[in-house]
Amino acid sequence: MSGFPCFEYRDNELYVESVPLSHISKTFGTPCYVYSKKVITDAYQAFDTAFADEDHLICYSVKANANIAILNLLARLGSGFDIVSGGELQRVVKAGGDPRKIVFSGVGKNTEEMRLALAAKILCFNVESEAELDALNQIAAEMRQIASVSLRVNPDVDAKTHPYISTGLKENKFGIPIVDAERIYTTSQGLKHIRFTGLDCHIGSQLTELGPFVQACDRILSLVRRIESKGIEIEHLDLGGGLGIRYHEEEAPSIQKYVESLCTNTSQLNKRILIEPGRALIGNAGLLLTRVEYLKQTPDKNFAIVDAAMNDLMRPALYDAYHEILPIIKNDSNKKTYQIVGPICETGDF
């Protein structure tokens, strides 16, 4: 099975680790998401090991999958978290995540979410516009706090991915244009309740080439040098996420190669490195288990009607993504056989 570690056929029956999926379907019913703890753990530890020589923090991108059990597993592994809403903040805290390892991304933070995050004493806000920076300064003043901030900079780099999940071009809504970032860091020094601690960049999702990562990183490092030449210290670089996985015929870089490409030039700056993987941690760890209820024949094509719905597996409808479909038991003549659809990344990491 391409892209499915820990999922394998044994005597024509599909297993996850040592558990037959037919047992899961009988016990819990369908539709049902099934995840491998081992796959998630191995992926997280691969990132952690690859960064062994660097001061780093892996911040799991919660929007990839906000399941409480998965968040708890990652928290116990030592993970930080990348959130985009107050609801995600509450889920991470409920799951045992450390607020001091949380970065708050997203273009649409409202003032109540800012208050929640300040009260929780999160690590950093990734701010995406001057208007948001002003609003955060005002809320922090009202709460008599200092907000730690990274500006999310849009480097105008083509991620070479589907346009719906590309975030690093100048026409995208995400981030502050790189041509404006130096000015904002300099002129915003007068904001008394803002403390700039980092610089953030994220160019898109499901990237299967290292070139765009390297290009974006080079532009960010050049910006860091210009900012620090003006006396503004940058403590950490948040290099985002977006590393792709294999769904069908893609050849995504290994986690080791990805990290090596990021660290080639960052090591000399002696900065803490933050990354925000989502899909690369969770996408190949799970399946959607669903039952075929009816077979519908029409003059043009035949349909299998299943008990899962489009909202359970959004990616194919959202941007023509490929998902492998396999039977739990091969050569089963039962028309109501169970099927799996996967791999699963419930919303994708944008």
Side-chain angles (χ1 to χ4, degrees):
M1 295 176 60
S2 62
F4 285 82
C6 288
F7 292 86
E8 63 179 359
Y9 281 103
R10 300 180 186 177
D11 296 326
N12 290 329
E13 183 169 2
L14 193 59
Y15 279 65
V16 52
E17 298 184 16
S18 61
V19 181
L21 284 168
S22 59
H23 174 73
I24 294 175
S25 66
K26 291 174 184 176
T27 304
F28 299 101
T30 58
C32 177
Y33 293 115
V34 182
Y35 296 95
S36 165
K37 176 181 177 181
K38 185 179 187 308
V39 172
I40 299 169
T41 301
D42 288 352
Y44 178 84
Q45 291 176 341
F47 275 107
D48 203 33
T49 300
F51 275 111
D53 295 331
E54 305 289 336
D55 182 9
H56 68 279
L57 179 63
I58 301 163
C59 295
Y60 169 64
S61 183
V62 176
K63 61 183 173 289
N65 189 313
N67 180 280
I68 294 291
I70 290 172
L71 298 180
N72 175 257
L73 169 61
L74 288 162
R76 287 186 282 113
L77 289 170
S79 181
F81 297 90
D82 166 45
I83 64 170
V84 294
S85 71
E88 288 187 357
L89 170 61
Q90 292 171 323
R91 293 180 74 86
V92 168
V93 172
K94 181 177 180 180
D98 185 350
R100 295 169 299 179
K101 293 182 177 180
I102 293 176
V103 294
F104 195 164
S105 303
V107 297
K109 309 176 191 72
N110 62 42
T111 55
E112 183 56 33
E113 290 173 322
M114 292 177 181
R115 290 188 179 92
L116 284 172
L118 285 167
K121 301 187 184 305
I122 68 167
L123 175 63
C124 188
F125 290 84
N126 288 340
V127 169
E128 303 215 19
S129 67
E130 291 182 81
E132 180 189 334
L133 188 63
D134 290 338
L136 180 58
N137 181 63
Q138 181 177 340
I139 297 301
E142 294 172 4
M143 297 179 66
R144 299 182 180 179
Q145 292 196 31
I146 304 295
S148 295
V149 166
S150 291
L151 293 187
R152 176 175 175 177
V153 174
N154 186 322
D156 193 23
V157 168
D158 184 0
K160 302 184 186 303
T161 188
H162 193 285
Y164 290 3
I165 50 176
S166 175
T167 64
L169 290 169
K170 62 184 180 182
E171 61 263 30
N172 297 140
K173 68 180 179 181
F174 299 96
I176 290 168
I178 195 166
V179 295
D180 295 331
E182 184 178 349
R183 170 186 60 79
I184 296 172
Y185 271 102
T186 303
T187 60
S188 298
Q189 290 299 295
L191 298 177
K192 296 182 179 180
H193 293 269
I194 296 295
R195 177 174 174 263
F196 288 116
T197 58
L199 183 63
D200 173 45
C201 174
H202 177 57
I203 59 174
S205 180
Q206 186 53 14
L207 276 68
T208 57
E209 299 178 16
L210 293 176
F213 289 118
V214 174
Q215 184 182 2
C217 191
D218 287 345
R219 294 187 181 184
I220 291 301
L221 294 180
S222 177
L223 176 59
V224 169
R225 294 186 181 97
R226 296 197 302 274
I227 292 170
E228 293 199 323
S229 71
K230 299 180 181 299
I232 302 170
E233 182 180 359
I234 300 298
E235 298 174 6
H236 74 254
L237 297 178
D238 186 337
L239 300 178
L243 178 63
I245 61 174
R246 185 174 185 181
Y247 288 96
H248 185 36
E249 297 177 345
E250 304 93 335
E251 293 295 337
S254 69
I255 290 173
Q256 181 68 38
K257 291 291 186 183
Y258 164 71
V259 172
E260 287 176 357
S261 71
L262 296 182
C263 293
T264 298
N265 294 321
T266 58
S267 298
Q268 58 189 285
L269 290 182
N270 195 30
K271 308 291 184 188
R272 191 183 198 194
I273 303 299
L274 275 59
I275 58 165
E276 303 167 356
R279 188 193 311 263
L281 284 174
I282 196 69
N284 278 337
L287 304 170
L288 174 59
L289 188 59
T290 181
R291 179 198 292 264
V292 175
E293 296 290 355
Y294 307 105
L295 297 177
K296 179 179 177 180
Q297 297 178 337
T298 74
D300 293 325
K301 64 175 65 176
N302 298 328
F303 296 89
I305 310 300
V306 300
D307 60 1
M310 186 176 72
N311 60 296
D312 298 314
L313 190 65
M314 183 64 75
R315 293 182 67 254
L318 183 63
Y319 45 93
D320 298 322
Y322 173 86
H323 274 267
E324 192 170 13
I325 301 175
L326 295 167
I328 283 183
I329 300 175
K330 291 182 178 179
N331 303 320
D332 188 351
S333 60
N334 181 359
K335 289 185 177 180
K336 289 187 179 293
T337 182
Y338 291 96
Q339 302 268 333
I340 60 164
V341 182
I344 295 298
C345 185
E346 288 184 0
T347 61
D349 53 343
F350 287 76

